[in-house]
Amino acid sequence: MSHISVKSALISVYHKENLESLLKVLAKNNVTIYSTGGTRKFIEESGLEVKTVEELTGYPSIFGGRVKTLHPKVMGGILFRRNDANDVAQAGEYDIPSIDLVVVDLYPFSDTLSSGASHEEIIEKIDVGGISLIRAAAKNYNDVLIVSSMTQYDEAVKILHENNCATTLEQRRKFATYAFSISSHYDTEIFNYFNTEARLLHFKKSISIATTLRYGENPHQEGVFYGALEEMFNQIHGKAISYNNLVDIDAAIALMEEFADDTVFAILKHTNACGVANGKTVKEAYLKAFEADTVSAFGGVLITNSEVNKDAASEINKLFFEILVAPSFDNDALEILKSKKNRILLEKTQNISARLQFKSILNGVIQQERDLETEGPEQFSEVTRRKPTAKETATMVFANKIVKHTKSNAIVVARNGQMIASGVGQTSRVDAVKQAISKARTFGFDVTGAVMASDAFFPFVDSAEIAFNEGIHAIVQPGGSVRDQDTVKFCDEHNMTMIFTGKRHFKH
């Protein structure tokens, strides 16, 4: 049967918001309603007739409400096949009424988990009856309409109202798809909670919130973002955020989270910083960051960890850029920055909370912990005779934070709270050094007295030799090469400082 009229319904929901509209269309069409507990009381208080599930089953709700609807007269009424003569005969033999509509949602497991509730409270929010009813009704979509969330009420009401309380097979299958999405998401959340201790190597991730993007990395590729963007920031101006925008924003926020104490400004292009600097004001930090690479900054993604005021906005507005992320903007700054209609302005509201990273690769998925370690003076190991000055130490800390977030092979050259050049994504360490030196010269920087940071060890002494010849006398790197002593020896012979951090920070 394609068109089926709803003559009886089972309603048992945790969330009762907006349920009235659905109840009204059922009452208008004289639908028999079965219900339990708080939902039954809600329906009665709405002035509608309702039969209790206990009347149907002959059993009360038991075990503190853990068992209410798991009974053959309920499950049978949902699952028996109306076009199967044997099923119909058995339903008649055991006095099992048909249930044509099931309106059931689930206990709020995720909300309970995020509230900091105890383990016992969390366990009690694992729904058993609800998930069983949803799966049963969805399985028998040939005969039954399943409404498994209050977000589906409006659509269900529209269908029932327009079709005299009847549904088509296509409509029921669509709602069954909703139901299996909800049930699989729910089970994934429960598994991941239990798996924090069991640590089974099973990859399960479920995100039900999605934003369709204009396209993917290129216009011929489709793109979707899964997640709640509004939890990370408020978009207060500009066009829709693209796939590439999101990748750059993620890189920008991850970099800026390294800087908590000083006012810092960064400019990124294709996830790499082309300028990073601190300053007494956002304006000063921006100008220093922009100075590092005035070419790559064009069309870049900008981010700061301090409020953008009118003075900063007046300078920033001179640059064509895609995105500016800040914790806040004053009204005068917004008036200036909103002068370009497509310019994206984001007010960041929270840090990145994810502790795991994963991506599809080959015929599967790879997963890793986020790189959340950043070395400072406490982790620095002084391996040369010449010890760093306080200013050099501060600059090495600054440069090491940046190189950690730069595509490998990576080199960062910095001085006085300003990145003055970088070598990015090179196939050899020495090429990254050469690129950084060349870039510094291009933009008029003398690297004499600057420090150099590397995301991984120097395999040969050649990088230290180039640094020395350019006037760089302080280097911070992870160490770990079989030729470390050759590099340390060269530094000692040329009165250079070398610091080992003990941690590599490859980024691919």
Side-chain angles (χ1 to χ4, degrees):
M1 297 172 65
S2 177
H3 282 76
I4 291 180
S5 296
V6 174
K7 297 179 180 178
S8 60
L10 171 65
I11 305 177
S12 180
V13 294
Y14 186 92
H15 300 98
K16 299 169 182 64
E17 300 88 341
N18 304 318
L19 182 61
E20 295 94 334
S21 58
L22 183 57
L23 292 173
K24 286 178 181 178
V25 73
L26 297 180
K28 181 181 177 181
N29 288 275
N30 300 312
V31 173
T32 299
I33 299 174
Y34 299 96
S35 191
T36 63
T39 307
R40 175 188 57 78
K41 183 179 179 182
F42 178 88
I43 295 171
E44 288 176 338
E45 290 175 349
S46 298
L48 303 179
E49 290 187 14
V50 57
K51 294 184 177 182
T52 67
V53 169
E54 289 83 353
E55 290 177 59
L56 175 63
T57 64
Y59 277 86
S61 173
I62 57 177
F63 307 130
R66 280 190 165 198
V67 180
K68 291 180 285 191
T69 54
L70 295 177
H71 188 280
K73 283 200 171 183
V74 176
M75 301 302 287
I78 296 169
L79 283 167
F80 87 84
R81 292 159 290 193
R82 278 58 161 178
N83 61 352
D84 185 297
N86 289 330
D87 282 12
V88 172
Q90 281 191 319
E93 179 182 356
Y94 296 107
D95 195 23
I96 297 174
S98 66
I99 297 174
D100 310 310
L101 168 65
V102 175
V103 183
V104 173
D105 61 9
L106 299 171
Y107 291 156
F109 178 84
S110 182
D111 290 345
T112 305
L113 182 62
S114 61
S115 73
S118 67
H119 176 70
E120 290 71 23
E121 292 172 308
I122 292 168
I123 292 300
E124 287 307 310
K125 286 299 184 287
I126 296 177
D127 207 313
V128 176
I131 202 81
S132 300
L133 293 168
I134 288 172
R135 289 179 64 85
K139 176 178 179 176
N140 199 25
Y141 71 89
N142 274 320
D143 302 306
V144 180
L145 175 67
I146 172 63
V147 179
S148 50
S149 168
M150 64 180 179
T151 61
Q152 301 163 21
Y153 289 169
D154 288 346
E155 186 177 357
V157 167
K158 185 174 185 295
I159 289 170
L160 295 173
H161 177 73
E162 292 177 353
N163 296 281
N164 296 317
C165 219
T167 62
T168 66
L169 180 64
E170 181 182 10
Q171 290 164 345
R172 295 191 298 277
R173 184 181 176 107
K174 181 180 180 182
F175 276 77
T177 305
Y178 291 156
F180 284 122
S181 174
I182 285 173
S183 66
S184 64
H185 178 77
Y186 195 75
D187 284 340
T188 297
E189 289 183 316
I190 295 169
F191 167 78
N192 285 329
Y193 170 68
F194 276 86
N195 204 40
T196 55
E197 290 188 11
R199 298 184 69 84
L200 303 180
L201 294 181
H202 298 168
F203 181 81
K204 295 184 185 294
K205 188 72 175 176
S206 177
I207 303 174
S208 299
I209 302 170
T211 303
T212 300
L213 306 174
R214 296 199 305 273
Y215 50 81
E217 201 163 10
N218 299 291
H220 62 277
Q221 297 169 267
E222 293 184 356
V224 179
F225 174 78
Y226 294 97
L229 283 175
E230 67 277 4
E231 293 179 2
M232 283 292 302
F233 41 70
N234 299 319
Q235 182 171 353
I236 54 182
H237 186 68
K239 62 184 178 181
I241 298 172
S242 72
Y243 179 101
N244 291 331
N245 290 157
L246 286 169
V247 174
D248 285 330
I249 291 166
D250 177 69
I253 291 176
L255 171 61
M256 194 54 62
E257 286 180 2
E258 299 283 355
F259 301 98
D261 300 324
D262 300 322
T263 295
V264 176
F265 203 101
I267 304 171
L268 289 85
K269 201 72 171 288
H270 299 296
T271 74
N272 292 301
C274 53
V276 185
N278 58 34
K280 295 179 181 178
T281 65
V282 173
K283 176 181 176 180
E284 179 188 347
Y286 163 72
L287 289 172
K288 288 169 65 179
F290 176 66
E291 186 182 28
D293 186 342
T294 58
V295 174
S296 297
F298 184 85
V301 172
L302 283 54
I303 187 167
T304 182
N305 59 0
S306 301
E307 181 175 81
V308 177
N309 59 19
K310 181 179 180 180
D311 286 345
S314 297
E315 286 295 336
I316 296 168
N317 194 53
K318 298 174 184 177
L319 174 68
F320 170 75
F321 64 89
E322 288 272 342
I323 300 165
L324 174 56
V325 184
S328 59
F329 301 81
D330 72 19
N331 290 332
D332 291 334
L334 285 177
E335 185 175 349
I336 294 167
L337 295 169
K338 285 182 176 181
S339 61
K340 306 294 184 183
K341 67 176 183 178
N342 288 329
R343 179 182 284 165
I344 297 170
L345 302 178
L346 301 176
E347 192 173 70
K348 179 173 170 285
T349 56
Q350 70 175 38
N351 289 338
I352 299 171
S353 59
R355 290 295 177 264
L356 295 176
Q357 296 174 315
F358 48 87
K359 63 179 178 181
S360 60
I361 186 171
L362 300 175
N363 61 343
V365 173
I366 54 174
Q367 175 180 290
Q368 67 171 355
E369 296 175 331
R370 282 184 64 211
D371 185 357
L372 298 175
E373 295 193 26
T374 306
E375 302 74 46
E378 298 81 7
Q379 292 79 36
F380 284 4
S381 178
E382 299 172 350
V383 295
T384 50
R385 287 193 296 267
R386 180 184 182 272
K387 305 308 178 186
T389 66
K391 181 179 286 188
E392 285 174 334
T393 297
T395 306
M396 284 190 284
V397 170
F398 175 81
N400 192 51
K401 290 177 178 179
I402 301 168
V403 81
K404 170 186 168 182
H405 293 272
T406 305
K407 290 291 179 69
S408 304
N409 289 301
I411 292 289
V412 165
V413 179
R415 179 173 51 218
N416 298 330
Q418 180 185 31
M419 185 186 86
I420 59 178
S422 62
V424 176
Q426 297 301 297
T427 52
S428 73
R429 184 71 39 195
V430 71
D431 281 348
V433 173
K434 291 175 180 177
Q435 184 191 46
I437 298 300
S438 174
K439 199 165 189 180
R441 288 175 180 156
T442 298
F443 293 100
F445 287 100
D446 180 357
V447 300
T448 301
V451 307
M452 177 184 288
S454 176
D455 67 328
F457 63 67
F458 293 127
F460 303 100
V461 74
D462 50 5
S463 295
E465 290 173 344
I466 294 171
F468 172 75
N469 291 334
E470 296 295 333
I472 295 172
H473 292 95
I475 299 173
V476 58
Q477 59 129 325
S481 168
V482 295
R483 296 183 178 87
D484 275 347
Q485 286 309 309
D486 294 342
T487 305
V488 172
K489 180 182 177 184
F490 177 87
C491 290
D492 279 337
E493 290 172 349
H494 294 82
N495 197 32
M496 297 173 69
T497 293
M498 180 160 284
I499 296 295
F500 284 177
T501 65
K503 287 285 193 305
R504 189 184 74 185
H505 293 289
F506 270 165
K507 185 182 179 188
H508 288 86

